[in-house]
Amino acid sequence: MKVTQELIDAFLMNDDKFSFVLHRVTGEILLEASEFMSDESEFDEDDEEMDENVIVIPQISSPEAFEIMVSFTTGQEPVVRDKLREILNGRKPFWNFKDTVQIIGLAESWYSFENDCAKK
């Protein structure tokens, strides 16, 4: 996987339990797990050399992710657009939106759109 795609995937993770760092020298993306999952972490916070050579990869916020979903609906046929917007205004919008794009056959289009937005 290319580093660019790994950076995009890390950015889109949006999970409080995980964060990622980019090692400037090696180009590796390293997992920095929360204190509750410290045995999963690939990042050694006590290593000064590593600390100097890493950049924290930001993660998308929920409002940013929501805006991307809203933007995606804009390019859809009116019936699909209305259904997706109804879902976004309901309970569990993230979960239901992703389920619905899967069911109606737009998953590939959605993930491509989301990926392109994250790349920007």
Side-chain angles (χ1 to χ4, degrees), residues 2-3 6-7 21-30 53:
K2 293 171 38 179
V3 171
E6 289 181 25
L7 287 169
V21 295
L22 170 66
H23 194 285
R24 289 192 257 194
V25 177
T26 66
E28 288 179 285
I29 307 289
L30 304 171
N53 290 310

Side-chain angles (χ1 to χ4, degrees), residues 7-23:
L7 287 169
I8 290 168
D9 292 343
F11 175 71
L12 291 173
M13 181 64 72
N14 193 12
D15 188 328
D16 294 341
K17 296 179 188 126
F18 302 102
S19 61
F20 296 89
V21 295
L22 170 66
H23 194 285

Side-chain angles (χ1 to χ4, degrees), residues 29-70:
I29 307 289
L30 304 171
L31 171 67
E32 181 180 12
S34 72
E35 61 191 56
F36 302 108
M37 303 181 74
S38 60
D39 57 327
E40 299 288 328
S41 188
E42 300 169 338
F43 177 71
D44 183 1
E45 293 178 8
D46 297 328
D47 184 343
E48 281 185 38
E49 182 180 329
M50 182 173 272
D51 197 37
E52 293 173 4
N53 290 310
V54 297
I55 301 170
V56 175
I57 301 168
Q59 289 185 5
I60 193 168
S61 68
S62 292
E64 289 171 317
F66 188 85
E67 273 307 309
I68 291 173
M69 290 187 291
V70 170

Side-chain angles (χ1 to χ4, degrees), residues 83-109:
K83 177 65 176 168
L84 291 174
R85 287 190 177 167
E86 180 183 323
I87 287 166
L88 290 174
N89 289 318
R91 289 188 65 233
K92 299 185 178 183
F94 291 87
W95 183 273
N96 290 325
F97 180 89
K98 291 179 181 180
D99 278 352
T100 302
V101 295
Q102 184 74 37
I103 291 167
I104 62 178
L106 289 174
E108 188 174 321
S109 179

